[in-house]
Amino acid sequence: MTDIKRLNLILGILAVLILVTSCAAFAYIMIPKDTSMVVVNDVEYTWDELFENFQTTTFNAKDTSFEGILLSDIIYDTGLANPEGHQYIIASSDYQKTVNWTSMVNGFLVREGNGVVNDKITIFPGLPQQYWVYDVMTIEVI
Amino acid sequence: MNKYRILAGILVFGSVWGMLECILGNVNISWFPMGAFLGGFIGLGLMVFSRRLFGVVWMQLGMAIVAGMLRFWAPIGTCIICSALAIMAEGLVFELIFNRPVFNITKTGQSELKNWRTLAFLGILSGFVIYVIGYMFTQIMTPIISTGTFFVSDFIKVLPTIYGTGFFAAIFGGIALPLAVLTPQLSIDVNKIKKEHYYAIATGVSAFCWVLVIAFFHLV
């Protein structure tokens, strides 16, 4: 087999491998997950419970007005002692961000965003949008 | 080739790339993978096209630096420096792939790299790698720059998303590379363009891109 043909074969195999595996990975991340509950520090909340029982605050992020619950209020409700001494992993099924207590005091849990977004997300007005976790499922204390 | 022609080429292609990154990056269409399109089609396509036209290695890293600098003027998201650095990283990855003699896509390259199938395979590989590296770069740099911390567990958890959305960048790359290399209408000899026309067009197009971005994000 000539070098050219070998190159073509190697490129072809690698291309197919990339397409198949990345397509599989995409299919995996697209599998619908149950986001009806949020588990915060091992305490389960439904979204309806959260928005009925906690005070909501209107705030601005990315030039848009949102209404949400302060993340620190939910942590207080779970009865965690010394919350400022911990870090928090906010996670969906395929994404997570770890933040400190200062961010939790300034971060919000939002259910709908005035038509701009219609997801269950955490928004930190003072942090990059990379910290917006969509379809939040757990907030773990570490 | 005259070094001033190359510099003008870097400026004009980098400006067009940066302008498209800023304007299209601001468009939010929920069903369309814009990030993969920008990396796999626009970025890769422009770098391949300019490599074909000029045949100069490391020029595309210069283009990426110009595009990254223009990106500083568009406050999309809140870590502008990370996005700008990611574009520059994409340029560096392109150079590392296409500076290899075996992937010489210029007119002096091997005949097999004029074959649409080989180019499509190479486009799939390079589109995927350029996009994935750029995405990983922002996932690492944004926490470091914005909070001073980086958690490996956060990075590991996002890897399936990076890899999965790379599928679209691979598809776009598989289209962009053969298109930029084989389309006869895109085969221009830049050396034959009259000097006064060449620099006038380069200056005009570059100025238009910069003015458009600054006006779009800061005046409108």
Side-chain angles (χ1 to χ4, degrees):
Chain A
M1 192 185 286
T2 63
D3 284 349
I4 293 294
K5 281 188 176 171
R6 189 177 295 127
L7 171 71
N8 218 344
L9 183 67
I10 293 168
L11 284 177
I13 291 170
L14 285 174
V16 170
L17 203 66
I18 281 176
L19 286 177
V20 170
T21 53
S22 62
C23 187
F26 184 72
Y28 166 74
I29 60 173
M30 290 304 288
I31 294 170
K33 312 289 188 314
D34 180 11
T35 57
S36 58
M37 307 278 285
V38 189
V39 180
V40 184
N41 191 24
D42 295 330
V43 180
E44 288 187 355
Y45 297 93
T46 65
W47 284 85
D48 287 337
E49 267 172 14
L50 284 168
F51 280 84
E52 280 165 15
N53 299 331
F54 286 86
Q55 187 189 342
T56 58
T57 308
T58 303
F59 64 98
N60 277 299
K62 210 190 166 197
D63 299 327
T64 306
S65 178
F66 295 96
E67 194 173 322
I69 303 165
L70 264 175
L71 289 167
S72 53
D73 287 351
I74 307 173
I75 295 294
Y76 285 131
D77 190 68
T78 66
L80 178 71
N82 186 27
E84 53 280 345
H86 295 274
Q87 287 185 313
Y88 302 86
I89 301 173
I90 299 164
S92 67
S93 60
D94 50 24
Y95 193 80
Q96 72 175 44
K97 279 288 163 199
T98 306
V99 296
N100 59 19
W101 180 247
T102 310
S103 299
M104 294 295 278
V105 172
N106 297 297
F108 297 88
L109 197 63
V110 175
R111 184 155 58 170
E112 288 184 5
N114 296 344
V116 177
V117 285
N118 291 298
D119 295 287
K120 299 155 177 174
I121 48 178
T122 52
I123 296 178
F124 298 93
L127 290 177
Q129 207 173 334
Q130 198 183 90
Y131 282 81
W132 294 22
V133 179
Y134 288 74
D135 293 327
V136 180
M137 293 166 78
T138 59
I139 299 177
E140 187 187 340
V141 181
I142 52 171
Chain B
M1 185 181 286
N2 181 312
K3 66 180 177 186
Y4 294 109
R5 279 194 181 241
I6 298 168
L7 280 173
I10 290 172
L11 185 65
V12 72
F13 278 100
S15 300
V16 170
W17 182 8
M19 183 263 291
L20 291 171
E21 281 273 352
C22 297
I23 304 291
L24 294 178
N26 195 41
V27 176
N28 188 11
I29 305 168
S30 59
W31 55 267
F32 188 73
M34 189 60 81
F37 179 71
L38 287 170
F41 193 85
I42 300 290
L44 178 64
L46 283 172
M47 287 191 284
V48 169
F49 181 46
S50 63
R51 176 63 62 92
R52 273 288 282 172
L53 290 186
F54 293 87
V56 177
V57 294
W58 297 109
M59 177 188 169
Q60 287 65 39
L61 179 60
M63 279 170 55
I65 291 169
V66 172
M69 285 165 66
L70 184 51
R71 181 69 180 75
F72 274 113
W73 293 90
I76 308 164
T78 44
C79 187
I80 300 163
I81 189 170
C82 310
S83 306
L85 289 172
I87 295 171
M88 296 174 194
E90 288 175 7
L92 182 61
V93 173
F94 177 90
E95 297 286 3
L96 294 176
I97 296 172
F98 286 90
N99 289 4
R100 298 179 66 83
V102 72
F103 296 140
N104 182 358
I105 50 167
T106 63
K107 285 172 187 164
T108 58
Q110 51 185 298
S111 60
E112 198 65 16
L113 287 178
K114 312 284 184 297
N115 174 316
W116 70 267
R117 197 171 50 200
T118 311
L119 290 168
F121 291 155
L122 185 57
I124 288 168
L125 284 173
S126 50
F128 179 82
V129 172
I130 286 172
Y131 170 80
V132 164
I133 298 286
Y135 199 154
M136 285 180 172
F137 198 84
T138 53
Q139 287 294 324
I140 293 169
M141 291 306 292
T142 302
I144 291 172
I145 291 174
S146 58
T147 66
T149 55
F150 171 69
F151 294 93
V152 177
S153 56
D154 291 359
F155 180 68
I156 290 170
K157 184 123 184 188
V158 78
L159 284 178
T161 303
I162 296 175
Y163 199 87
T165 51
F167 171 74
F168 297 101
I171 297 286
F172 287 130
I175 298 166
L177 203 144
L179 207 65
V181 173
L182 297 178
T183 308
Q185 288 83 357
L186 296 178
S187 185
I188 306 159
D189 189 344
V190 285
N191 282 312
K192 285 187 180 166
I193 302 173
K194 279 185 181 175
K195 199 169 92 175
E196 53 272 28
H197 292 169
Y198 181 84
Y199 291 113
I201 292 168
T203 308
V205 172
S206 304
F208 171 78
C209 293
W210 283 77
V211 168
L212 182 70
V213 169
I214 292 167
F216 188 83
F217 289 98
H218 298 279
L219 301 179
V220 179

